[in-house]
Amino acid sequence: MMTLQTAGIHHITAFARDPQQNVDFYAGVLGLRLVKKTINFDAPEVYHLYFGDKAGNPGTIITFFPWPGSRRGRIGGGQVGVTTYVVPVGALDFWEERLSGFDISVTRSMRFSEQYLQFTDNEGLHLELVERESGANSEWSFGGIPADKAIKGFGGAVLFSVDAAATMDVLQRVLGFEKAGEDVGYVRFKAAGELGNIVDVPASNHPAGIGGAGTVHHIAWRAKDFEEHVAWQQKVFDSGFHPTQVIDRQYFNAIYFREHGGILFEIATDPPGFANDEAAEELGQRIMLPSWYEPSREQIEANLLPIEVRELQPKQR
Ligand code: ZN
């Protein structure tokens, strides 16, 4: 068996309800770039929105299926419990003030000698910011957020497991994470990447959550190319899991499997990326459809609520 180690998180995908509120939160408040506006390939009446850094690099991408009127989920075991974003050292105070200016309540907490600014998005999804040196500063400046304060990408994630021992085992034995320590009830794992490379697992099991708006659907880990991706599929199978076939997701290839702690894992390729079907300068402006949906473009667009990326001003305090 080839020695394979993921560099860390490729993307995280969650459910939401209102697409404009989703854009307002992730682009307007957090200052991320809407790098792709497409549809759920299995349900073309629902958007699939991707937010990331300027290029939509792996390790920076959060994606949503905003489904108006869908039921609210409950965060719990078998899900990503908290999505962690990393900001430059010295930026947490800026973010506390900015989030407060949007009437978002924040709390601070410590683990592994790092301070976390924790809050929820408009749907109740749990997010946190942490200052770290790792990862290049953002080249995308939006909404009055200076580059030396802007989100760089994911720091990592906190995985809520119904079987924490099993989840920790798959992180180490299959994905190639290394155990880095234990603190305040969490076990920390690290991968080699600059972003999205630190995963914390609460040592105690969580009761199962319920999927729906305000919860994460799956977390994807990075494979560096298509050749390695096929080797990953084999390794997942040889490790006793049931990976799907390789699925072409237009911007990456994907396989999926559910680990024994209940979390849906995906392994996604770094290539070809988001400039696969539109120019890098124009990412996210037009609704992009896979070729088999192009003949139905007019009807598909008519069924989607219009959305726009807009600058939002926090209240001055
Ligand atoms: Zn995915």
Side-chain angles (χ1 to χ4, degrees):
M1 192 184 293
M2 236 173 112
T3 305
L4 293 173
Q5 289 185 297
T6 186
I9 298 169
H10 183 284
H11 66 270
I12 289 175
T13 293
F15 291 118
R17 285 179 291 202
D18 186 288
Q20 183 60 53
Q21 284 180 24
N22 185 242
V23 172
D24 281 345
F25 193 89
Y26 287 88
V29 174
L30 296 188
L32 300 173
R33 185 179 189 187
L34 176 63
V35 293
K36 194 62 63 180
K37 184 162 65 176
T38 183
I39 54 169
N40 183 336
F41 294 175
D42 304 317
E45 69 278 15
V46 176
Y47 277 115
H48 193 185
L49 304 177
Y50 292 72
F51 303 89
D53 70 358
K54 184 180 178 184
N57 283 308
T60 75
I61 310 152
I62 193 162
T63 97
F64 290 92
F65 296 115
W67 199 323
S70 60
R71 74 171 183 182
R72 183 91 181 249
R74 191 180 70 210
I75 295 171
Q79 297 175 0
V80 171
V82 189
T83 297
T84 310
Y85 278 111
V86 65
V87 295
V89 172
L92 271 200
D93 289 344
F94 167 88
W95 280 99
E96 180 162 25
E97 172 128 4
R98 180 175 175 85
L99 294 170
S100 300
F102 288 108
D103 293 324
I104 296 162
S105 62
V106 298
T107 55
R108 288 189 186 233
S109 77
M110 296 285 294
R111 63 180 193 272
F112 298 97
S113 307
E114 293 181 307
Q115 189 161 188
Y116 289 82
L117 191 66
Q118 299 180 310
F119 55 101
T120 63
D121 80 357
N122 57 298
E123 302 278 5
L125 197 73
H126 289 185
L127 303 172
E128 62 185 7
L129 300 176
V130 64
E131 297 177 353
R132 281 183 196 148
E133 298 278 0
S134 62
N137 276 4
S138 171
E139 293 171 26
W140 183 251
S141 186
F142 186 76
I145 303 167
D148 67 338
K149 302 288 191 289
I151 288 172
K152 296 195 268 192
F154 293 129
V158 180
L159 304 185
F160 286 0
S161 176
V162 299
D163 183 346
T167 299
M168 294 188 223
D169 181 62
V170 70
L171 285 173
Q172 293 177 277
R173 190 169 55 88
V174 181
L175 295 173
F177 276 82
E178 288 185 9
K179 186 174 167 180
E182 296 183 32
D183 186 39
V184 294
Y186 292 87
V187 184
R188 171 157 288 191
F189 298 88
K190 284 190 180 174
E194 287 266 284
L195 292 169
N197 62 318
I198 296 183
V199 172
D200 292 342
V201 182
S204 52
N205 297 340
H206 279 68
I210 299 171
T215 69
V216 169
H217 180 254
H218 66 266
I219 183 166
W221 311 101
R222 293 174 62 181
K224 75 175 192 305
D225 56 33
F226 300 120
E227 188 188 359
E228 192 188 272
H229 196 235
V230 173
W232 273 112
Q233 187 192 33
Q234 188 64 45
K235 183 176 184 182
V236 168
F237 180 79
D238 291 344
S239 303
F241 296 93
H242 303 283
T244 62
Q245 291 304 302
V246 173
I247 300 169
D248 178 355
R249 291 299 188 199
Q250 196 90 341
Y251 312 109
F252 45 85
N253 277 2
I255 61 167
Y256 303 83
F257 66 102
R258 196 171 294 279
E259 56 88 30
H260 300 311
I263 307 169
L264 184 59
F265 279 4
E266 174 183 344
I267 296 176
T269 54
D270 285 1
F274 293 96
N276 190 32
D277 58 357
E278 59 186 335
E281 315 79 63
E282 288 163 12
L283 293 181
Q285 292 173 16
R286 179 165 180 264
I287 296 173
M288 302 308 298
L289 299 176
S291 56
W292 63 93
Y293 278 126
E294 273 301 343
S296 322
R297 174 177 282 275
E298 202 175 332
Q299 193 185 336
I300 287 169
E301 290 194 0
N303 282 337
L304 293 167
L305 294 166
I307 53 173
E308 61 169 335
V309 173
R310 51 191 183 183
E311 301 224 1
L312 303 175
Q313 293 307 317
K315 279 182 275 184
Q316 299 294 319
R317 292 193 304 167

